[in-house]
Amino acid sequence: DAIPIKNRTANSLLQAYKTCYQRLVDSGLKPQLQFLDNECSAEMKAFLNTEGIPFQLVPPGCHRRNAAERAIRTFKNHLIAALATCDPDFPMHLWCLIIPQALLTLNLLRDSRINPKLSAWAQVNGHFDYNKTPLAPPGIKVLAHEKPATWLTWAAHGVEGWYIAPAMESYRCYKVWIKATRATRITDTVTWFPSPRVQLPIPNTTNLCQPAPHH
């Protein structure tokens, strides 16, 4: 998991940790032993003691003793790669909005350390349905369809924005940041305008004519 924070103060770090911790607990995965950086705050230690979680501090400058350090580097590289595929006009101050999809795609690729037959995502969140929640590279420019009930007489039927992530609680919907309103909305109909550096797959006539496989 990854939570963006405003600063590295003890309170900000603790609140982010509590959010990650609660997500794990809600999935039945309460930490059994927590390895922490030697700069761990007194507030963090107090919270772990309250929750009954044993912890150990790694030696100063010895990152290899903490598996989280390697996981952080992997996530940073994955997030940088996602940012590199964004449309050139994508507002980079929205980088934090693509973190949920970066977590999703990374954990779909990683094996669970508890059960290697499952992805890390499936271990915590259950099976991921690609049909229910289709994915696209983050930061792609889109035109989001406006529903007829919201049209003015001569208004355009779509608004410009950027794809952020799938809408996990909606069927085949997307989270889109709308340029005009400077806010995120959920929509089920978009037209994609990928930049030249991101080529979306286009099915050819052979693929379209082939019958679906039977299971």
Side-chain angles (χ1 to χ4, degrees):
D1 209 343
I3 305 294
I5 57 177
K6 293 182 178 179
N7 50 56
R8 289 175 52 84
T9 62
N11 184 63
S12 293
L13 292 170
L14 178 59
Q15 294 307 314
Y17 180 86
K18 286 182 176 180
T19 300
C20 295
Y21 170 77
Q22 192 59 50
R23 289 178 183 175
L24 290 175
V25 171
D26 291 343
S27 301
L29 299 171
K30 182 176 180 179
Q32 302 299 309
L33 174 63
Q34 188 73 69
F35 289 96
L36 300 169
D37 188 275
N38 64 297
E39 298 178 357
C40 177
S41 66
E43 292 86 347
M44 179 71 77
K45 295 176 184 177
F47 174 76
L48 294 173
N49 287 326
T50 301
E51 296 296 318
I53 303 173
F55 62 88
Q56 294 179 5
L57 304 183
V58 300
C62 188
H63 287 176
R64 67 180 181 273
R65 291 277 296 272
N66 189 350
E69 295 291 347
R70 186 62 183 86
I72 290 170
R73 187 171 72 177
T74 300
F75 174 74
K76 287 173 65 176
N77 291 339
H78 189 73
L79 181 61
I80 291 171
L83 291 171
T85 66
C86 290
D87 187 273
D89 295 327
F90 177 74
M92 278 301 171
H93 68 274
L94 302 178
W95 67 270
C96 56
L97 297 183
I98 72 172
I99 286 179
Q101 173 155 324
L103 285 169
L104 166 62
T105 52
L106 178 60
N107 286 322
L108 285 172
L109 295 170
R110 294 176 60 243
D111 293 336
S112 166
R113 300 181 70 177
I114 299 174
N115 181 0
K117 294 183 178 181
L118 297 176
S119 68
W121 176 269
Q123 181 69 64
V124 177
N125 303 282
H127 172 70
F128 180 78
D129 189 336
Y130 289 88
N131 180 64
K132 177 184 176 183
T133 47
L135 301 172
I140 284 185
K141 185 177 292 185
V142 300
L143 193 64
H145 180 251
E146 294 274 60
K147 301 305 180 186
T150 64
W151 292 348
L152 297 176
T153 304
W154 299 104
H157 295 179
V159 289
E160 292 184 352
W162 285 274
Y163 165 81
I164 299 297
M168 299 298 291
E169 297 180 347
S170 303
Y171 181 73
R172 298 188 68 82
C173 291
Y174 310 95
K175 284 186 178 179
V176 175
W177 193 84
I178 302 300
K179 182 178 179 180
T181 61
R182 302 180 65 83
T184 301
R185 76 166 61 168
I186 294 176
T187 180
D188 62 345
T189 307
V190 298
T191 300
W192 308 96
F193 294 92
S195 67
R197 57 186 171 182
V198 177
Q199 295 295 324
L200 293 183
I202 301 176
N204 56 40
T205 54
T206 302
N207 293 335
L208 292 173
C209 294
Q210 287 181 344
H214 296 285
H215 297 284

